[in-house]
Amino acid sequence: MSLDIQLPPRERLLQAAVELLANSDGAPVSTRKITELAGVTAPTLYHHFGDKEGLFDAVVAVGFEQYVASEMDLEPTGKPLDDVRRMWDQHVRFGIEKPHLYLVMFGKVRPGNRSNRVSEAEALLRGKLDRAAEAGHLNVPPADAVRSIMAANIGVTLMLISEPEKERNFELSDMTRDAVITAVSSEAGIADSATPVGASSVVVAAIALNAALESSNPQQLSNTEMKMFLEWLHRISKTT
Amino acid sequence: MSLDIQLPPRERLLQAAVELLANSDGAPVSTRKITELAGVTAPTLYHHFGDKEGLFDAVVAVGFEQYVASEMDLEPTGKPLDDVRRMWDQHVRFGIEKPHLYLVMFGKVRPGNRSNRVSEAEALLRGKLDRAAEAGHLNVPPADAVRSIMAANIGVTLMLISEPEKERNFELSDMTRDAVITAVSSEAGIADSATPVGASSVVVAAIALNAALESSNPQQLSNTEMKMFLEWLHRISKTT
DNA sequence: CTAGCACCTATAGCATTGCTATATGAAGGG
DNA sequence: CCCTTCATATAGCAATGCTATAGGTGCTAG
């Protein structure tokens, strides 16, 4: 059950850790399984990484480089806030595509003890937001904007990860993203692209009616009629 | 080192678990320490709770009742969205005051496997948001609003918990809270504040939707569908 | 009063976990 | 050729979650 024999043990340990982490559905991965899969014994692991956490740090460092790279691949659009939006999306995508890595990086919260990865990710965002502030696009200090955006971004990603794949609704991400970015930005008209003003009153009314119907069942329509009516109502309240 | 001797072992186990959890700074708590502090041996724990996770579930259930109680103590303000704001604040406060409990309840994310507590907390919010929707204060379906608010709320709380107490800046919470709530709300309100919350809200909402549809023709329904839809809408708004 | 029964608790121990004290092998410089 | 240094292995420790089994303890039925 051992891995490729030609790589040096250090690399095989990393590779084994990544592989086991990916197939373990969030359950803890034992050092024994790792060393076994790597075809190595325990002291080798501790010689190279000192610690189980050291090994995972190394794994996470690799993952974080992928993350940073994916954020850096984006060419600046010229509008810093649009860059921020794309970084948000990249963050979410990374979390969805590598949930195990993401959870090791962002999922283990300890009281009064913020993780390095969060700080590093914040620093990336901070760069863009500083430029946004220079351009006069922020109405709060960049430090505050960073924390709000980061908190929401992580919260949304964790929620999406925790949902069954089929139920995942990425509108949650777009909606929340635009909400927090709009709130920290001084540009008034940003929400326009998300919610066309012309349709909004229809949508609001449809949502209100839908809610009202669910709380009290009127007799004016038959069951089949009501079913179809709700279906159409639902279609109307979907802005997209 | 044992606890009060007069309580039944089950309660002593719970109490010991809570106490150790509170003083362990997020580090894992062993069943041995728990049973030792409770003055009980291992099988007693497994007899009552089946599992370590079972014990923690019981602990969390108690914590969740406190949480729910703190949310329920709030008297409705009459403005559902203000209630939502206060629930947000209560959520954050709970997380800050009992970080250990909060992390057990909301901190352990598993891919594709949402925690019960999140769903239950969502249900609480959902109630208020449904009423907001009935009153025409919502811009998006309540289900979407709930997820966005909840994700941001948890994200913010986790971030605040992970920060050293001195650096905690609660503006982060207020700012993000208002950002997401504003984003899902239609501040104008379709029928304004005149919309009563009762059986007649169906009629009011139907009338509002009718008016909105007449002023703008959405593309989500075909002509024949729209015709029938309007007919039914009319029928609903006629009678009580 | 006693026998049986259900419930609760204890003794002792298993398998797995992260980690290490110590020893062995190989590679290179004097 | 020896000696140092790095890398890996042997064997085992202490702590963990959990359990097979047996021993009380109190209640009800005869």
Side-chain angles (χ1 to χ4, degrees), chain B residues 9 13 31-32 35-36 40-51:
Chain B
L13 279 167
T31 59
R32 279 184 159 80
T35 55
E36 182 187 347
V40 170
T41 52
T44 315
L45 192 161
Y46 294 94
H47 174 73
H48 286 290
F49 301 100
D51 217 342

Side-chain angles (χ1 to χ4, degrees), chain A residues 132-167:
Chain A
E134 289 166 19
H137 294 153
L138 284 188
N139 64 8
V140 300
D144 293 347
V146 153
R147 283 159 27 104
S148 178
I149 295 174
M150 205 67 210
N153 203 354
I154 293 177
V156 162
T157 307
L158 288 177
M159 174 145 298
L160 284 175
I161 288 178
S162 78
E163 287 176 354
E165 285 191 35
K166 298 179 180 178
E167 294 180 20

